[in-house]
Amino acid sequence: MSAPIGVLDSGFGGLTVLRELRRALPHHDFVYLGDSGRAPYGGREAEAVLDFSEQCVERLFAEGCRLVVVACHTVSSVALRHLQARYGSETRRVLGVTIPAAECAVGATRGRIGLLGTARTVASGTFTTEVRKLADVLVVERAAPLLAPIVEDGWEETDVARAAVRRYVATLGDIDTLVLGCTHYPLLRRAFEGALPPEVTLLDPAPWVAERLVDWLARHPSFASPGTGRLRFLSTGDPARFAELGERFLGEPVGEVEYLAERGGALVPAVRVVPRGQLVR
Ligand code: DGL
């Protein structure tokens, strides 16, 4: 039986990564888990990011995945080592996006790299650490906490989005390459292109993440398990909203979204009940 590849994100944003993974591996099945009910992760404490991402990874393994790709830059920057140490084995692996992001930035830069990401991603400094392992270049990381909520609300093409992007780009100073270090930012590409001088290279690491995964699977053939290109979506948030917004991130209709609730420290399939008025226990 084929094993789907798990893709984990704090919410909808990782669908921009799934889009590229699917393009690169059209015959593989994927299970995407968006922790939308607890997103955004970017302003959370590192311990909370570890707790939430543990629950997500455990759910994806329970769904039959043997390989989990952490699409979320926040989780990748803060919790990947922990997740790999805790869950990695001969038959189970967890991969992230920070090293591929560093590799493509180093491949593109003339010496001055900027990264915009969540507050937690930037506080970790993990991207800078990974770049410095590859090259002696300048790295400037800055937090852009308003951008993910702007995208979540579908405001990418508004003056609000353009003004916010301009303000955050200005905090980076003199750079030649800008890395979109958050899964939501590719949807703001137009605003970024308008805010950056033409000589600055704008990088979405997602296509490179997909290429690296193809390469990794070639080197670890026991984890390559092609199926029929089936997609499943799990969310801790409102499934209807996930399906509606998800289409914009994925670039194709999302279809059915299965709801997960947290019960006793685990994410489990559940029926979502939205009470009107007060909830009394
Ligand atoms: N998925 C997150 C990331 O790539 C962005 C949204 C969040 O703060 O949860 O960092």
Side-chain angles (χ1 to χ4, degrees):
M1 218 182 75
S2 71
I5 297 174
V7 181
L8 181 169
D9 189 48
S10 59
F12 313 108
L15 293 170
T16 61
V17 179
L18 177 61
R19 180 164 56 184
E20 298 299 330
L21 299 181
R22 196 163 147 66
R23 203 171 279 166
L25 295 161
H27 302 298
H28 275 72
D29 300 335
F30 291 92
V31 180
Y32 180 94
L33 196 166
D35 197 3
S36 306
R38 301 187 290 198
Y41 281 7
R44 302 247 186 201
E45 293 303 314
E47 291 285 345
V49 175
L50 256 64
D51 291 342
F52 292 170
S53 55
E54 274 184 7
Q55 292 175 3
C56 294
V57 167
E58 284 173 16
R59 184 70 241 159
L60 286 167
F61 285 138
E63 295 293 338
C65 301
R66 291 192 284 125
L67 172 64
V68 170
V69 176
V70 174
C72 179
H73 288 268
T74 305
V75 175
S76 244
S77 301
V78 173
L80 186 69
R81 290 282 173 273
H82 169 75
L83 297 172
Q84 288 176 328
R86 181 158 185 151
Y87 301 107
S89 72
E90 280 303 300
T91 53
R92 287 181 170 176
R93 292 294 170 86
V94 184
L95 304 176
V97 290
T98 312
I99 292 175
E103 288 171 348
C104 69
V106 167
T109 191
R110 298 182 300 281
R112 305 177 79 85
I113 298 169
L115 173 130
L116 289 177
T118 68
R120 185 57 47 217
T121 296
V122 170
S124 76
T126 304
F127 175 75
T128 300
T129 304
E130 294 301 338
V131 168
R132 292 270 161 72
K133 288 179 190 168
L134 302 171
D136 184 17
V137 292
L138 178 95
V139 186
V140 182
E141 296 191 49
R142 295 283 182 263
L146 292 181
L147 297 188
I150 283 174
V151 172
E152 289 276 326
D153 266 352
W155 286 28
E156 306 92 271
E157 300 293 339
T158 64
D159 288 342
V160 173
R162 286 185 279 274
V165 166
R166 263 199 313 275
R167 286 285 289 263
Y168 288 130
V169 164
T171 64
L172 292 164
D174 183 20
I175 54 165
D176 60 63
T177 301
L178 172 57
V179 177
L180 301 178
C182 170
T183 50
H184 287 62
Y185 301 171
L187 273 91
L188 290 163
R189 179 173 274 279
R190 290 245 286 264
F192 276 105
E193 283 168 352
L196 286 169
E199 64 275 13
V200 176
T201 305
L202 182 59
L203 277 183
D204 169 13
W208 183 243
V209 169
E211 260 188 66
R212 297 299 284 140
L213 180 62
V214 171
D215 177 63
W216 189 91
L217 287 171
R219 286 182 287 112
H220 300 82
S222 63
F223 287 91
S225 179
T228 56
R230 180 167 184 239
L231 298 181
R232 278 180 64 209
F233 299 94
L234 314 176
S235 174
T236 57
D238 178 357
R241 184 172 151 77
F242 187 100
E244 183 197 327
L245 286 181
E247 187 171 342
R248 288 193 295 123
F249 290 80
L250 187 64
E252 61 181 289
V254 164
E256 191 200 343
V257 179
E258 300 163 53
Y259 177 67
L260 299 174
E262 196 220 311
R263 302 269 188 266
L267 294 181
V268 295
V271 175
R272 185 164 181 264
V273 180
V274 183
R276 280 180 59 81
Q278 299 188 33
L279 177 65
V280 178
R281 283 205 281 219

